[in-house]
């Protein structure tokens, strides 16, 4: 329903449950009758689930559904065996096996989902971030528990998931910012009503970040981060919750491992088109949180398409980089000739030859930048001036 209440929990409201139990006890005192059923089975069934919390309700169609309930009983708090399977959207297969209890409504099952197409679930993505979900296949396995009286989340999931061929676009500038390959997530603890998320580890394969500077000097990455944070707060004491960050649900990711990822930098403010690519990115981003004031930890290594290597280490508030950023960036054996469009823009001369090593330290604390830069250049040769 629009207020987030699952309608199946209202089929037998808590007050009605109490009345049923009370009536049952009265009848039982007078007439000792219990109803039991060894097995109930439904085959070739269909169902439609509708989420009305969105402006336009989102629907999921279930077909070829099979349901088997065993040890069905009218006794309060009796546990029924449950085995179910179905097709979602025609291609994906889902299954569940475990225990169901009718009074009160409780579910504790092992679930498995194979190859679910994600693009129809765009409405859920745009609630969390300014992204457009174009494609992706989700597979997951774990346990699901429905416990309406549990104050920490009525619906809980514990397990892992994998996403293949994920395709995401950011919607702030309308360009490409994030490229994805495959994703594997382990140690998930998620809850709905209210929503929360904890992740032990996420492995990202062949993903990319494409940073572009437009002709007017705006940077797509900074625009995206600003839209994601939606203002934030000026200062946050370490360990305290951060308010105003686009009302993001509580989320904690212990570590994100990067495997063979890439980065692209494009600049439209140079006299001729400028583009450089960072390849074979490996590393870890840890301690990611939407609620804590503590920054994320970064340790990343990569190669440059023009030759050379780069490492990035330090801390950063990923949702509000202007509040806290402390990064050390080291570049070694970098060939300078591919940087000619940038050198023409800055000093008016193209670079014909040369190599450089850079040691860069950047600190941002409450919007105040302090930087230390050490640059060494070898065999530099400039071309004729460009007017």
């Amino acid at each position: 329903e629009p207020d987030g209440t699952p309608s199946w929990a209202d089929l037998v409201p808590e007050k009605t449950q109490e009345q049923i139990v009370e009536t049952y006890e009265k009848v039982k005192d007078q007439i000792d009758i219990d109803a039991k059923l060894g097995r109930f089975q439904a085959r070739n069934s269909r169902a439609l689930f509708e989420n009305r919390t969105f402006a336009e309700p989102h629907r999921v169609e279930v077909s070829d559904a099979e349901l088997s309930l065993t040890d069905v009983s009218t006794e309060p708090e009796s546990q029924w065996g449950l085995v179910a399977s179905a097709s979602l959207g025609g291609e994906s297969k889902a299954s569940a096996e475990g225990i169901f209890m009718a009074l009160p409504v409780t579910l504790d099952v092992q679930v498995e989902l194979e190859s679910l197409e994600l693009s129809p679930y765009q409405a859920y993505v745009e609630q969390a971030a300014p992204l457009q979900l174009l494609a992706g296949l989700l597979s997951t396995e774990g346990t699901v528990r429905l416990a309406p009286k549990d104050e920490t989340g009525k619906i809980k999931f514990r397990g892992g998931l994998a996403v293949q061929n994920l395709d995401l676009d950011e919607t702030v500038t309308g360009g490409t910012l994030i490229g994805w390959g495959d994703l594997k997530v382990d140690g998930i603890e998620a809850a709905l009503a209210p929503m929360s998320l904890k992740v032990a580890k996420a492995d990202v394969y062949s993903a990319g970040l494409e940073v572009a500077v437009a002709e007017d000097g705006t940077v797509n990455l900074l625009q995206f981060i600003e839209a994601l944070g939606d203002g934030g707060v000026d200062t946050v004491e370490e360990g305290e919750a951060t308010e105003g960050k686009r009302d993001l649900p509580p989320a904690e990711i212990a570590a994100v491992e990067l495997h063979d990822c890439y980065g692209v930098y494009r600049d439209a403010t140079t006299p001729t088109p400028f583009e450089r690519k960072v390849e074979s990115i490996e590393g870890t981003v840890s301690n990611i949180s939407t609620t804590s004031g503590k920054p994320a930890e970064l340790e990343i290594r990569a190669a440059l398409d023009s030759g050379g290597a780069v490492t990035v280490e330090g801390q950063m508030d990923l949702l509000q980089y202007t509040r806290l950023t402390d990064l050390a960036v080291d570049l070694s054996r970098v060939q300078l000739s591919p940087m000619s469009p940038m050198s023409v823009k800055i000093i008016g001369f193209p670079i014909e030859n040369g190599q450089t090593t850079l040691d860069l330290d950047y600190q941002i604390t409450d919007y105040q930048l302090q930087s230390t830069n050490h640059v060494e250049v070898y065999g530099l040769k400039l071309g004729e001036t460009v007017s």
Side-chain angles (χ1 to χ4, degrees), residues 243-254:
E243 299 177 355
K245 289 190 174 181
R246 208 174 185 265
D247 296 326
L248 296 175
E252 297 178 8
I253 304 176

Side-chain angles (χ1 to χ4, degrees), residues 36-50:
K36 295 183 179 180
L37 180 65
R39 181 176 181 179
F40 169 84
Q41 188 166 20
R43 299 178 178 177
N44 301 322
S45 303
R46 301 169 64 88
L48 181 66
F49 293 91
E50 184 175 83

